[in-house]
Amino acid sequence: MPAQPALKISTLDGKPYDLAEQRGKFVIVNFWATWCVPCIKEMPDISNFVRTHKDKVAAIGLAYEDSDKADIQAFLAKHPVSYPVAQVTLDKPVKDFDEPRGLPTTWLIGPDGKVAKRFIGPVTEASLGQAIGLSK
């Protein structure tokens, strides 16, 4: 995985997303799945963290599964988040990110576009704040 990964993807609502456009902010790149209980548990924490620190932090959720797009959208209607979500299928992984060994896997990208930290397992507002140097 490159030190400064690129990510250009279409979100579930059809909008283009380019990680490079987020420079100057920390970006939480969160791989998750609808069937992953720890993923579902961490989603409100990521949403709240992004909302609370929107001047310094952004996020993108990557639904890492082969489900129908409509099923993921229905899931998000029940579990809304404050950040865009895109689908990554197992046969078309994103090129610059290592394949997750388990879910959730979260990459924290620094304001310079370089990987600052990788989390395997669920994140919390506290763990994100600690990694970024922001506390509640």
Side-chain angles (χ1 to χ4, degrees), residues 85-97:
V85 173
Q87 182 177 11
V88 176
T89 56
L90 307 181
D91 62 335
K92 291 183 185 166
V94 288
K95 288 187 177 114
D96 279 7
F97 284 83

Side-chain angles (χ1 to χ4, degrees), residues 62-116:
L62 299 176
Y64 191 65
E65 58 185 284
D66 290 327
S67 297
D68 202 45
K69 179 179 162 183
D71 292 340
I72 298 169
Q73 288 169 317
F75 173 86
L76 289 169
K78 292 179 186 167
H79 304 276
V81 293
S82 65
Y83 48 88
V85 173
Q87 182 177 11
V88 176
T89 56
L90 307 181
D91 62 335
K92 291 183 185 166
V94 288
K95 288 187 177 114
D96 279 7
F97 284 83
D98 289 342
E99 189 174 333
R101 301 227 186 282
L103 294 175
T105 293
T106 303
W107 297 90
L108 181 63
I109 308 299
D112 59 359
K114 293 184 177 169
V115 174

Side-chain angles (χ1 to χ4, degrees), residues 14-47:
K15 294 179 182 165
Y17 180 89
D18 186 351
L19 183 60
E21 291 176 3
Q22 304 298 319
R23 293 275 152 63
K25 289 184 172 187
F26 281 94
V27 182
I28 300 161
V29 179
N30 177 246
F31 285 83
W32 63 279
T34 57
W35 48 263
C36 167
V37 174
C39 301
I40 297 164
K41 188 175 184 299
E42 77 177 353
M43 291 167 90
D45 274 325
I46 296 170
S47 274

